[in-house]
Amino acid sequence: MSDIKPIRIFMTGVGGQGTLTATTLLANTVLSLGLPVTSGEIHGMAQRGGVVESTVLIGCKSPKIGHGEADVMLGFEPTETMRALPYLKSGGSIFSSSEYLLPLSVATGRESCPELSTIEEAVKACTEDYLFLPCQTLGIEAGAVQAGNIALLGAMAASGKTPITVEALADTIRKSMKPKIVDVNLKALELGAAKSA
């Protein structure tokens, strides 16, 4: 394990976006590459749109990611990306959806959400290495809005920021997902990877 460069991936989103599915897929892909991996998740009322946080750690001794430790952050919802910025280490990389999944309080007009430009400014203040992509739109283009999580994984894999490759993710999708949704997720992976090129 000492020869492996530790990589800490922090993922955040809201219930219903497939954050936990992406976590499992990512961890299984790391295992398929023969690398040591630890993953974990924290979620509350996920089925009601609550916050979901998860981690995938490659070659690390600790199973936790503290503030300032994440090498890579995946934000499945832009407001959650902004909220999780303290976890990113200096010089870390961010891949985030640019499309909102509004909480009930915002959807009903009781509260407001920061504009995407405000979120991008907050991200720029933390790192110059970031990519926003329209995950829900890419999921719909692939055949199902739920596949937007896979588009985000594709963008990360194509960036070369981790040892996880697009090909390895595609192989895990073929082996672990139900046959009827494999093609949609492979297309989403391809669309996300193209955004990172």
Side-chain angles (χ1 to χ4, degrees), residues 90-113:
S90 177
S93 305
I94 295 177
F95 299 88
S96 175
S97 176
S98 60
E99 297 174 324
Y100 293 87
L101 191 61
L102 298 177
L104 183 61
S105 61
V106 174
T108 57
R110 286 184 292 142
E111 296 182 32
S112 62
C113 211

Side-chain angles (χ1 to χ4, degrees), residues 30-111:
V30 175
L31 279 176
S32 75
L33 295 170
L35 300 171
V37 64
T38 303
S39 68
E41 58 193 54
I42 300 171
H43 51 95
M45 299 165 63
Q47 292 181 341
R48 296 184 182 184
V51 176
V52 177
E53 294 177 351
S54 60
T55 57
V56 173
L57 300 100
I58 304 169
C60 297
K61 293 180 180 175
S62 170
K64 297 170 60 177
I65 296 178
H67 283 182
E69 292 183 344
D71 299 282
V72 176
M73 180 193 298
L74 299 179
F76 295 88
E77 201 280 335
T79 309
E80 292 306 318
T81 298
M82 187 165 95
R83 192 184 56 75
L85 285 175
Y87 287 98
L88 189 72
K89 79 175 193 182
S90 177
S93 305
I94 295 177
F95 299 88
S96 175
S97 176
S98 60
E99 297 174 324
Y100 293 87
L101 191 61
L102 298 177
L104 183 61
S105 61
V106 174
T108 57
R110 286 184 292 142
E111 296 182 32

